[in-house]
Each structure stands twice: as C-alpha cells, then as structure tokens.
Amino acid sequence: MKRRRRPFPALASGIIGIVLLALITYLVFGGRGPFKGSPFVLKAMFTTQIQVHIPSDVRMAGVDVGKIVSIERLPNAGSSQVAVVTMNINDNGLPIHADATVQLKPKLFLEGNFYADLRPGTPQAPVVSSGFLMPLAQTSSTVQIDRVLAALTASPRSELQTLLQGIGSALQAPPSPGEDATQDPIVQGLTGAQSLNLALKYSTAAFRDSAIVNQALLGIQPHDLEKVVQGNQKLLQGLADSGQQLPGFVTTFNATLAALANRQQALSDTIAALPPWLKATNDAIGPLEASYVPTQQLARALLPGVQQLGPTIKLGIPWLQQSALLFSKPELGNLLNDLTPAVQNTGQSLNDTRLLLNQADLFARCFSHNVVPTGNELLQDPPNTTGLPLYQEVFQGSVGLASSAQNFDANGRYTRALAGGGATRIATSTLPTGGPLFGNAVNPPLGTRPAYPGKAPPLRRDVPCYQNQAPNLNRVATGGTP
C-alpha cells in the first residue's frame, strides 16, 4: 500500500518564487553571480567638491565600461577637500596603464548627472592591477555653476555688479569730439556698443578667413603639422644651445624697442596712416583670394612633376656621364672626321637646291601668268564655239584621240585616217616645213583661222617667261581661203 505524499506548503512555494525572481532580476540588471570573480577596482583622488549620484557611468570613448560605486572624503586632507572615487571596471575597459587619466564631465541635458571619462593611458606605461589609486595629477573635473556662485560672496558680487554697470555705462556713453576725431569714419558718432554691433557685420568674413588659415596651417600632406612641431622643437633647441647669443639678442631687441619709444610721435603718425593702407589691402583681398584657386590647382598639378624630379635627375646622371665620354676629344674628333665630307656635300647640295628653287619659282610664275590664263580663255569661233575653257577642249581632244587609237582587230593599235572630200581642191601656201599642203573639201572654205602671218609669233628669250605678254587667242585674225 503506497503512502500518500503530503502537499508542499503554499507559503514556502511563494517565498521560493520571490527569491528566484529577485535573483533573476539582480542578474539581469548587472548584478554579479556567485560564479563571477571580483570586479576590477580603480580608485581616483579629486580635490574639488563633486555631486555625483551613485551609481554613475564610467565611459571610455563614449562606451560604458563600468560604474562609480562609492565616494569617500579623506578626513586628514587638511584645508583642501579631497575625495576618493571608487569605480568598478568591466572587462571591456581593461587593461589600464599607470598614466591613465579620468575626468568628471556632465552628461547631456536630457541625461542629467555626471559621468567619469576614463582614458586608459599609453601602451608604453605599465599595466596596473585592481585597487590602483590614481593621484591628483591624473584627475580633473568640470567646474560646476554652483561652485562658481558659491565663490561669489556678498562683497565680490557687489563689486561684480559695479563692474558690469561701469562696462555698460562705458559702452552706452556717446564719444566726445576729441575721441571721435581719431576714430575710423565708419564708427564716428557711435557708442561703444553700437561699434561692437557693427563689428559683427565683418565677423562672418573674418571667421571664414580664420578657418581657411587654420585649415592651411594643417598642411597639404599628412604629418605636415607634425613636421612643423618637430621643426619648432629643433629651433627652440637651437636657441637653447646658443649660449650667450640669445641674451645678447634680447638686449639688442630691448635697445631697438627703446629707440622706437623715443620716436613715439613718428610711430603714432605711421599707425595713423595704416587705416587707408588696410582699406586698400582689404579691397585687394578679394582678387587675391580669387587667384588662390588657380594657384592651388597649379601647385597640385606641379606636385607630381616635382616628386618625379629627383628620380629623373637620378636617371639622367648616367646619361650625362656617357655624354661627357661621347663629347670627349677622341670620340668627338673621330665623329667630326666622319661628318666633314657629308657637311661639304651638304653645302653643295644646298647651292644646287637654291638654283632649283629659283627655276621652280620662275616656272611657277610663268605657269600662273601665261599658261593658266590661256587655258582658262574661252575661244569665240561661231558657230563652232563650245563654250568651254581651252584646257577642257584640250583634254576632250586628248580623250577623242585616245579613243581613236584603241584596238580594232588583231593587227594592233593604230589610228585610221580616211581620205575624203569633194570636188573643191585646197592648197595652202608654202609652209616653213617645205612646200604647200593639198586636200579636197566638200564645200569651199570661208577662210583660215588663225591667219598665218608668214612667221612664228614673237618670243623673247632674254627675259623670264612670266614677263612675256600672255597670248590672247580671241584677237587672232582670220585669213583668206587657201
């Protein structure tokens, strides 16, 4: 027979459930379980009054790495108020080096409270262990407004009010005629406050130019600013190593300033002449600033060439060495011996070329003065006038002659001439070639054109061709019948 199990009490079940729920809530919200090791404890000393809630965040580069768990004031700190802040650091905030620093900073407006900004130090410093106490030299905190107000007791507050009232009266007071005479025309007749408000008109351009200057001070290439700092360090080191030269320079500089002080009136006149010069300089800044962009583009375009100048010179040195050997007396002398005949022949060739160019010039002038106008002339021979220039008729006659000389059969190329005519017998006069020519014509000829004058047309050979008169074919006379 089985024994009946007694039911578990409801009260005990409720207590166990509450304990488990509390344990789970503790672990979920960051509590350490029984199997976790001890947290890494970091302590820091602060000399200022701090109002930090417990717990507050410990952040490293904006990431939460721990919590502030306690703040304890040291009782034997003397007149200064020294407190020790204890922080538990998570694993994502380790390791921490001996030169680490921490600063208490306010959170954003919506967050409220403060947080500890922890910087873990440099890798060259040794790593510290849990419980390390950071000295005062490695801690700092922001100044809170309540501490500023607490420092202002009744007497300083009254003096501060008097100071502010005096500044306000000075800014609102109109200038006297004597003060106004030495001012720039743009602010004459204005109070100090009005002048300061007017200065804001030029602040935009001033801030922009300052930003451009600050950007330029960073340099063009990476590490330019670092090189400037290193150069200044070397300069200051050189000044430190100069011995008595630097004190002598200071003494001489003091004498120079004393001389300037003795010329106070002349210096004042020079300063009074500066505003027009500054105005002219300000007017020139606009065009000068506009020229910066092409100048910067030119500098960027020249930079690759300047970078390649060194390798180019390095590659050119062997060429120069070989050129020196080539132009030496043995090499250059032999080369000149080989080139002397060619140079002499070149001179003769240049003379012949000059004569050829002269003849070509005479030929071109003859062609343009005589041949071309004659070829462009239209022969007026009605009713046989073609209306074409002479050079086209010549080409067409050549084409007709070529067509008449084509192959007709296996006997080869030849021109067939057919004798024809009628009852009219034609005979020419005696020709210079030796006698007349005879032929038969169908109709009696009207005349001959051109009429043969009995001699060849005049041709002067004692003058260049282009100086002879160009022929006029339409002025040719018609002769009688043969």
Side-chain angles (χ1 to χ4, degrees), residues 8 47 62 73 95 114 119 174 185 199 202-203 245 268 287 320 364 366 370 392 411 425 460 470 482:
F8 200 78
T47 58
R73 183 179 180 278
F114 294 82
R119 298 187 179 182
Y202 307 98
S203 61
Q245 295 179 357
S268 177
L320 293 176
C366 179
N370 292 1
Q392 294 185 9
N411 293 325
R425 180 175 177 269
R460 296 186 58 185

Short mmCIF file of all heavy atoms in Angstrom, two decimals, residues 8 47 62 73 95 114 119 174 185 199 202-203 245 268 287 320 364 366 370 392 411 425 460 470 482:
data_model
loop_
_atom_site.label_atom_id
_atom_site.label_comp_id
_atom_site.label_asym_id
_atom_site.label_seq_id
_atom_site.Cartn_x
_atom_site.Cartn_y
_atom_site.Cartn_z
N PHE A 8 3.08 20.29 -0.82
CA PHE A 8 4.08 21.32 -0.44
C PHE A 8 3.33 22.56 0.02
O PHE A 8 2.39 23.01 -0.63
CB PHE A 8 4.97 21.65 -1.64
CG PHE A 8 6.26 22.30 -1.24
CD1 PHE A 8 7.31 21.53 -0.73
CD2 PHE A 8 6.43 23.67 -1.36
CE1 PHE A 8 8.48 22.13 -0.39
CE2 PHE A 8 7.60 24.25 -1.00
CZ PHE A 8 8.65 23.49 -0.51
N THR A 47 40.16 66.78 -5.86
CA THR A 47 40.30 67.85 -4.87
C THR A 47 39.11 68.80 -4.86
O THR A 47 39.08 69.73 -4.07
CB THR A 47 41.57 68.67 -5.16
OG1 THR A 47 41.49 69.20 -6.47
CG2 THR A 47 42.81 67.81 -5.03
N GLY A 62 33.17 57.14 -25.10
CA GLY A 62 31.73 57.13 -25.26
C GLY A 62 31.06 55.80 -24.99
O GLY A 62 29.84 55.71 -25.09
N ARG A 73 35.25 60.83 1.38
CA ARG A 73 36.06 62.01 1.67
C ARG A 73 37.16 61.63 2.64
O ARG A 73 36.92 60.95 3.64
CB ARG A 73 35.19 63.12 2.26
CG ARG A 73 35.93 64.42 2.52
CD ARG A 73 35.00 65.49 3.09
NE ARG A 73 35.69 66.73 3.34
CZ ARG A 73 36.42 67.01 4.43
NH1 ARG A 73 36.51 66.09 5.39
NH2 ARG A 73 37.03 68.17 4.56
N PRO A 95 43.05 46.64 -20.61
CA PRO A 95 43.84 46.97 -19.42
C PRO A 95 43.91 48.48 -19.20
O PRO A 95 43.64 49.27 -20.10
CB PRO A 95 45.21 46.40 -19.78
CG PRO A 95 45.28 46.54 -21.27
CD PRO A 95 43.89 46.31 -21.78
N PHE A 114 26.48 63.32 -13.81
CA PHE A 114 27.82 63.36 -14.36
C PHE A 114 28.28 61.93 -14.66
O PHE A 114 27.67 60.95 -14.20
CB PHE A 114 28.80 64.02 -13.38
CG PHE A 114 28.51 65.47 -13.13
CD1 PHE A 114 27.53 65.87 -12.23
CD2 PHE A 114 29.21 66.45 -13.82
CE1 PHE A 114 27.27 67.21 -12.00
CE2 PHE A 114 28.95 67.78 -13.60
CZ PHE A 114 27.97 68.16 -12.70
N ARG A 119 40.44 57.53 -19.61
CA ARG A 119 41.39 57.29 -20.69
C ARG A 119 42.44 56.31 -20.19
O ARG A 119 43.11 56.58 -19.19
CB ARG A 119 42.05 58.58 -21.16
CG ARG A 119 41.02 59.58 -21.71
CD ARG A 119 41.67 60.79 -22.31
NE ARG A 119 40.66 61.71 -22.86
CZ ARG A 119 40.95 62.85 -23.49
NH1 ARG A 119 42.21 63.20 -23.63
NH2 ARG A 119 39.98 63.60 -23.95
N PRO A 174 28.10 108.24 -25.32
CA PRO A 174 28.48 108.77 -26.64
C PRO A 174 29.91 109.30 -26.61
O PRO A 174 30.39 109.77 -25.57
CB PRO A 174 27.47 109.90 -26.87
CG PRO A 174 27.05 110.32 -25.50
CD PRO A 174 27.09 109.10 -24.64
N PRO A 185 36.12 106.62 -39.85
CA PRO A 185 34.86 107.30 -40.24
C PRO A 185 33.62 106.42 -40.11
O PRO A 185 32.53 106.94 -39.89
CB PRO A 185 35.11 107.70 -41.70
CG PRO A 185 36.61 107.80 -41.82
CD PRO A 185 37.16 106.75 -40.89
N ALA A 199 30.76 95.76 -35.69
CA ALA A 199 31.88 94.85 -35.97
C ALA A 199 31.40 93.45 -36.32
O ALA A 199 32.09 92.71 -37.03
CB ALA A 199 32.83 94.80 -34.77
N TYR A 202 31.34 92.31 -40.00
CA TYR A 202 32.53 91.78 -40.67
C TYR A 202 33.03 90.50 -40.01
O TYR A 202 34.05 89.97 -40.44
CB TYR A 202 33.65 92.84 -40.62
CG TYR A 202 33.23 94.18 -41.15
CD1 TYR A 202 32.83 95.20 -40.30
CD2 TYR A 202 33.23 94.43 -42.52
CE1 TYR A 202 32.43 96.45 -40.79
CE2 TYR A 202 32.84 95.66 -43.03
CZ TYR A 202 32.43 96.68 -42.16
OH TYR A 202 32.05 97.88 -42.66
N SER A 203 32.33 90.04 -38.99
CA SER A 203 32.83 88.85 -38.28
C SER A 203 32.71 87.59 -39.15
O SER A 203 33.55 86.70 -39.06
CB SER A 203 32.07 88.66 -36.97
OG SER A 203 30.67 88.48 -37.22
N GLN A 245 74.41 84.01 -27.00
CA GLN A 245 73.89 84.73 -28.16
C GLN A 245 72.44 85.16 -27.95
O GLN A 245 72.05 86.25 -28.36
CB GLN A 245 74.01 83.87 -29.41
CG GLN A 245 75.45 83.56 -29.80
CD GLN A 245 75.53 82.68 -31.03
OE1 GLN A 245 74.51 82.25 -31.57
NE2 GLN A 245 76.76 82.40 -31.47
N SER A 268 53.44 107.03 -34.02
CA SER A 268 52.00 107.32 -33.98
C SER A 268 51.50 107.78 -35.34
O SER A 268 50.42 107.38 -35.78
CB SER A 268 51.72 108.38 -32.92
OG SER A 268 50.34 108.72 -32.91
N PRO A 287 40.31 90.05 -55.09
CA PRO A 287 41.01 89.47 -56.25
C PRO A 287 42.12 88.51 -55.88
O PRO A 287 42.34 87.51 -56.57
CB PRO A 287 41.56 90.73 -56.96
CG PRO A 287 40.68 91.85 -56.51
CD PRO A 287 40.29 91.51 -55.11
N LEU A 320 74.38 61.72 -68.59
CA LEU A 320 75.35 62.81 -68.65
C LEU A 320 76.77 62.27 -68.66
O LEU A 320 77.66 62.81 -69.34
CB LEU A 320 75.14 63.76 -67.46
CG LEU A 320 73.82 64.57 -67.47
CD1 LEU A 320 73.70 65.38 -66.20
CD2 LEU A 320 73.75 65.47 -68.69
N ALA A 364 56.81 78.52 -111.86
CA ALA A 364 55.50 78.74 -111.25
C ALA A 364 54.93 80.08 -111.68
O ALA A 364 53.73 80.21 -111.94
CB ALA A 364 55.62 78.67 -109.72
N CYS A 366 55.62 81.66 -114.53
CA CYS A 366 55.22 81.51 -115.93
C CYS A 366 53.89 80.77 -116.04
O CYS A 366 53.02 81.13 -116.83
CB CYS A 366 56.32 80.80 -116.70
SG CYS A 366 55.93 80.52 -118.46
N ASN A 370 51.03 82.99 -117.59
CA ASN A 370 50.79 82.75 -119.01
C ASN A 370 49.92 81.52 -119.28
O ASN A 370 48.94 81.59 -120.02
CB ASN A 370 52.12 82.59 -119.76
CG ASN A 370 52.90 83.90 -119.82
OD1 ASN A 370 52.45 84.89 -119.27
ND2 ASN A 370 54.04 83.90 -120.46
N GLN A 392 39.80 72.55 -121.06
CA GLN A 392 38.86 71.44 -121.16
C GLN A 392 38.77 70.92 -122.60
O GLN A 392 38.65 69.71 -122.84
CB GLN A 392 37.48 71.89 -120.67
CG GLN A 392 37.44 72.22 -119.17
CD GLN A 392 36.05 72.53 -118.68
OE1 GLN A 392 35.08 72.35 -119.42
NE2 GLN A 392 35.95 73.02 -117.43
N ASN A 411 45.45 43.34 -135.54
CA ASN A 411 46.62 43.99 -136.12
C ASN A 411 47.29 44.96 -135.16
O ASN A 411 48.32 45.53 -135.48
CB ASN A 411 46.21 44.75 -137.39
CG ASN A 411 45.76 43.79 -138.48
OD1 ASN A 411 46.30 42.69 -138.58
ND2 ASN A 411 44.77 44.19 -139.27
N ARG A 425 39.30 71.62 -154.68
CA ARG A 425 40.69 71.36 -154.36
C ARG A 425 41.21 72.52 -153.51
O ARG A 425 40.98 73.69 -153.81
CB ARG A 425 41.50 71.25 -155.66
CG ARG A 425 42.98 70.98 -155.45
CD ARG A 425 43.67 70.77 -156.83
NE ARG A 425 45.09 70.58 -156.65
CZ ARG A 425 46.02 71.53 -156.67
NH1 ARG A 425 45.60 72.78 -156.87
NH2 ARG A 425 47.31 71.26 -156.53
N ARG A 460 60.39 86.33 -126.70
CA ARG A 460 61.64 86.88 -126.17
C ARG A 460 62.24 85.88 -125.17
O ARG A 460 61.61 85.52 -124.19
CB ARG A 460 61.37 88.21 -125.48
CG ARG A 460 60.87 89.31 -126.41
CD ARG A 460 60.78 90.62 -125.66
NE ARG A 460 62.07 91.01 -125.09
CZ ARG A 460 62.28 92.08 -124.31
NH1 ARG A 460 61.23 92.84 -123.98
NH2 ARG A 460 63.47 92.35 -123.84
N ALA A 470 50.95 87.56 -122.10
CA ALA A 470 50.12 86.36 -122.24
C ALA A 470 49.35 86.42 -123.55
O ALA A 470 48.85 87.48 -123.96
CB ALA A 470 49.15 86.25 -121.07
N PRO A 482 42.41 79.12 -148.67
CA PRO A 482 43.66 78.53 -149.16
C PRO A 482 43.62 78.45 -150.67
O PRO A 482 42.58 78.31 -151.29
CB PRO A 482 43.65 77.15 -148.52
CG PRO A 482 42.69 77.22 -147.41
CD PRO A 482 41.67 78.24 -147.80
#
